[in-house]
């Protein structure tokens, strides 16, 4: 093979790299970090090709034939990529496809098998019987039969005696012609509307069946009853006194009125109500409790306590995965840390819908002034679908 290579001596630079195997192969064969070859020309002898082999020289990586066809033997076994590679039909330049090629629409597949027939629905109520239809028109009358032949005249009677006139001969009995054919049957009239359903009375309920025989009684358990303890001995009855009942003594003088008792505790001292919007976003990735929504300042005397219920309506934005949060009622003496009343609850917040999360608890931290409110510890993503907070805190003795 005779190959001549000429270089114009300028530094080669890559404007872009495509991930398609053909471009990667061309780039690997013709460029390196410090190769001087802006244009490399290879003139092939007739019938020869330009070949790039592997480092061992045993595997052909790229071959350009004398007729301009390009062969990359490794393409059939390479991993699939997400782009198509196209070439300019005028210049042969390779590049991304401006419009992805689309194959012809495949033939319509055969129709799927017919599914099983659904179960038969319940029989509907019978409709009312329609009114009787009008009678059909009478068919045309049949044609009149032909007239029968005239009978022969009877014989002339003999001349009677001068006295009586002879009897008149019988009238000839001509045969009656046959009856004409019956006329065609007229067309049937329309079917009348269905008549009303008969209002038959429901028959009486049949008698109740006889009660079945009782099943056999189960066997008695085999537990052993413990022995009864011995009864204690009854002591002797003392003798009845025989003396007479004494007279009722006189009523003694009224005693001096004692001092007034100490006033008892008054119970509920005051009540603080809560009603307000939650923040649009509750920050995530937190390891500490934070107040959300409105808070209140509460002052306790010695021996008093706080008891309350607060409800917050929270949720995640659509598309976020479910996550766990801790929540409860907290108090704080600024600038100190937040403390939960007794403990906190752990729940799962979802993106399905906003959910009310209720905290009810009590605390007696001692005399002092405190900031009190609903608190959350959110170690997950930000909670961004929030609505409202309401509830109350009572101060009691």
């Amino acid at each position: 093979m005779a190959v001549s290579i000429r270089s114009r001596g300028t530094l080669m630079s890559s404007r872009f790299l495509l991930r398609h195997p053909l471009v990667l192969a061309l780039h690997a064969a013709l460029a390196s970090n410090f190769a001087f070859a802006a244009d490399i020309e290879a003139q092939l002898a007739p019938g020869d090709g330009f070949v790039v082999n592997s480092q061992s020289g045993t595997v052909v990586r790229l071959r350009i034939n004398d007729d301009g066809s390009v062969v990359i033997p490794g393409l059939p076994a390479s991993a699939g990529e997400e782009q198509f590679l196209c070439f300019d039909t005028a210049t042969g330049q390779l590049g991304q496809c401006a419009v992805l090629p689309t194959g012809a629409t495949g033939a319509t597949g055969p129709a799927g098998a017919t599914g099983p027939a659904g179960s038969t629905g319940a029989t509907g109520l019978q409709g009312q019987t329609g009114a009787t239809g009008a009678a059909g028109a009478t068919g045309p009358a049949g044609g009149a039969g032909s007239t029968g032949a005239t009978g022969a005249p009877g014989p002339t009677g003999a001349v009677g005696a001068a006295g009586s006139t002879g009897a008149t001969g019988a009238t000839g009995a001509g045969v009656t012609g046959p009856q004409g054919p019956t006329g065609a049957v007229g067309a049937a009239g329309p079917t009348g509307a269905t008549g009303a359903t008969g209002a038959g009375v429901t028959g009486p309920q049949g008698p109740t069946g006889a009660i079945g025989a009782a099943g056999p009684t189960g066997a008695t358990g085999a537990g052993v009853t413990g022995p009864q303890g011995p009864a204690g001995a009854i002591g002797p009855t003392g003798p009845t006194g025989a003396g007479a009942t004494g007279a009722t003594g006189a009523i003694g003088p009224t005693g001096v009125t004692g001092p007034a008792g100490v006033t008892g505790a008054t119970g509920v001292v005051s009540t603080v109500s809560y009603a307000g919007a939650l923040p649009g976003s509750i920050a995530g990735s937190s390891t500490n409790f934070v107040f959300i929504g409105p808070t209140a300042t509460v002052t306790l005397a010695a021996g008093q306590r706080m008891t309350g219920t607060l409800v917050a309506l929270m949720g995640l934005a659509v598309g976020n995965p479910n996550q766990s949060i801790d929540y409860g009622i907290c108090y704080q003496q600024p600038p100190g840390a937040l403390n939960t009343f007794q403990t906190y609850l752990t729940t799962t917040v979802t993106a399905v819908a906003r959910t009310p999360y209720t905290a009810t608890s009590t605390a007696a931290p001692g005399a002092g002034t405190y900031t009190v409110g609903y608190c959350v510890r959110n170690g997950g993503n930000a909670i961004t679908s929030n609505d409202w907070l309401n509830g109350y805190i009572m101060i009691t003795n």
Side-chain angles (χ1 to χ4, degrees):
M1 176 182 72
V3 177
S4 66
I5 298 177
R6 293 175 293 171
S7 173
R8 297 180 183 175
T10 57
L11 180 63
M12 181 178 182
S13 63
S14 296
R15 295 177 58 191
F16 61 91
L17 291 176
L18 293 177
R19 297 180 60 189
H20 196 282
L22 175 58
V23 178
L24 292 176
L26 290 172
H27 187 273
L30 302 177
S32 65
N33 289 339
F34 301 99
F36 293 89
D39 291 324
I40 297 176
E41 296 181 3
Q43 184 174 353
L44 306 176
D48 290 342
F50 183 84
V51 178
V52 177
N53 290 327
S54 63
Q55 185 176 8
S56 64
T58 60
V59 180
V60 176
R61 299 300 188 192
L62 171 69
R63 178 181 178 88
I64 302 176
N65 296 318
D66 188 40
D67 61 0
S69 60
V70 179
V71 179
I72 301 178
L75 275 181
S78 64
E81 299 294 344
E82 75 277 7
Q83 290 287 350
F84 286 88
L85 181 66
C86 294
F87 68 91
D88 190 303
T89 57
T91 65
Q93 179 178 344
L94 300 176
Q96 290 185 351
C97 298
V99 178
L100 296 181
T102 303
T105 303
T108 303
T114 304
S119 57
T120 303
T123 304
L125 298 175
Q126 181 176 348
Q128 296 180 346
T129 303
T132 302
T138 304
S146 58
T147 303
T150 302
T156 302
V159 178
S164 61
T165 303
T168 304
T171 303
V175 178
T176 303
Q179 183 177 347
T182 303
V185 179
T191 302
T194 303
T197 303
V201 179
T202 302
Q205 181 175 347
T208 303
I211 299 174
T217 303
T220 304
V224 179
T225 303
Q228 181 175 352
I234 299 174
T237 302
T240 302
T245 303
T248 302
I251 298 175
T254 303
V256 179
T257 302
V262 178
T263 302
T266 58
V268 177
V269 176
S270 63
T271 301
V272 180
S273 62
Y274 292 74
L278 295 174
S281 177
I282 300 172
S285 303
S286 175
T287 57
N288 299 317
F289 279 96
V290 295
F291 287 124
I292 62 170
T295 60
T297 300
V298 175
T299 300
L300 299 180
Q304 292 181 339
R305 71 169 46 247
M306 301 177 288
T307 303
T309 296
L310 297 177
V311 182
L313 196 60
M314 297 180 289
L316 297 173
V318 175
N320 285 352
N322 297 348
Q323 65 185 52
S324 295
I325 63 167
D326 301 327
Y327 70 96
I329 305 176
C330 289
Y331 64 89
Q332 176 194 33
Q333 280 190 311
L338 274 66
N339 299 283
T340 57
F341 267 32
Q342 287 178 309
T343 184
Y344 60 86
L345 300 174
T346 300
T347 190
T348 299
V349 182
T350 72
V352 175
R354 291 174 177 165
T355 304
Y357 298 95
T358 303
T360 300
S361 192
T362 184
T369 299
Y370 303 91
T371 300
V372 181
Y374 195 99
C375 56
V376 167
R377 180 167 60 191
N378 178 22
N381 297 321
I383 303 172
T384 58
S385 180
N386 308 312
D387 187 27
W388 199 257
L389 169 73
N390 62 12
Y392 65 90
I393 297 291
M394 292 190 303
I395 294 86
T396 58
N397 290 314

